[in-house]
Amino acid sequence: MSDLSAFPITGKWPAQHPDRIQLYSLPTPNGVKVSIMLEECGLPYEPHLVSFTTNDQLTPEFLSLNPNNKIPAIIDPDGPGGKPLALFESGAILIYLAEKTGKLIPADAAGRYHAIQWVMFQMGGIGPMFGQLGFFHKFAGKEFEDKRPRDRYVAESKRLLGVLDARLQGRAWILSDDYSIADIATFPWVRNLVGFYGAGDLVGYADFPNVKRVLDAFAARPAVARGLDIPKRGT
Ligand SMILES: N[C@@H](CCC(=O)N[C@@H](CS)C(=O)NCC(=O)O)C(=O)O
């Protein structure tokens, strides 16, 4: 039986199943990357809800795992060398879980680097830019009279969608025929942009038919449907 008591986060979110991967998250575009990955890989895990309503991400217990106060974060009781591993940053967690299981990442070295490259494209481009667009289009920034910041993120989001659309031309998924962590990193953000943010018209989503095709294929996967709702939000 694993002992996770050395991790202060377990004081606030006790592990009922300390032998399973502990997931601290909320179903946001960054959070669901990890729940979808865990569902796709079939790894046993225990989800814990980190509620922003009560600023759980700012508590000392959460900060002990991620000093950057952001979900998602995990503890794998069976990390490298059989020792527990704590990890934050969704891209790092995806790469870790792919390498742990040998799933959703190519086995050959070049393919592996290409998967990491497209995960980084999402982490450094799509995530931050779409997130800023959300702020200026849907949240507090929409009240700002000066529309130049919003327009800057709209233009950059369109450009990134164009890059993604061109990459998907003639390919089933980002890497090619094989679904991978690059898709799991990217499509929750595309879904959020056109869904929750309601920015489809603003970015000319109809101009990116390959992106739409692959988002539809992504959303149709049973593991994706499950992962999008984990951890369950409180009532
Ligand atoms: N680069 C980080 C970003 C994570 C992130 O921005 N998480 C947001 C939710 S999608 C969050 O936890 N926000 C809480 C806060 O900023 O206080 C990752 O990919 O893990």
Side-chain angles (χ1 to χ4, degrees), residues 112-135:
R112 178 177 167 276
Y113 284 119
H114 285 145
I116 293 172
Q117 163 189 279
W118 285 103
V119 169
M120 295 300 160
F121 170 78
Q122 183 283 311
M123 294 294 290
I126 285 184
M129 295 304 123
F130 288 13
Q132 293 298 328
L133 192 159
F135 175 80

Side-chain angles (χ1 to χ4, degrees), residues 28-30 33 52 57 69-72 89-91 123:
T28 70
N30 288 318
K33 291 178 201 171
F52 293 169
Q57 77 280 19
N69 64 269
K70 308 258 180 212
I71 60 94
E89 282 295 328
S90 59
M123 294 294 290

Side-chain angles (χ1 to χ4, degrees), residues 75-166:
I75 302 173
D76 181 359
D78 183 25
K83 297 199 179 114
L85 176 74
L87 215 51
F88 63 87
E89 282 295 328
S90 59
I93 298 171
L94 287 180
I95 295 166
Y96 170 68
L97 294 174
E99 296 195 330
K100 177 185 172 82
T101 57
K103 291 181 179 168
L104 304 183
I105 192 163
D108 66 294
R112 178 177 167 276
Y113 284 119
H114 285 145
I116 293 172
Q117 163 189 279
W118 285 103
V119 169
M120 295 300 160
F121 170 78
Q122 183 283 311
M123 294 294 290
I126 285 184
M129 295 304 123
F130 288 13
Q132 293 298 328
L133 192 159
F135 175 80
F136 287 104
H137 175 61
K138 184 175 169 83
F139 301 113
K142 78 170 184 230
E143 309 300 336
F144 297 179
E145 252 174 59
D146 185 347
K147 296 299 173 202
R148 283 173 298 180
R150 186 201 67 176
D151 292 347
R152 175 181 164 80
Y153 293 114
V154 170
E156 182 60 2
S157 298
K158 275 189 189 174
R159 192 189 67 77
L160 290 163
L161 285 167
V163 172
L164 185 60
D165 201 71

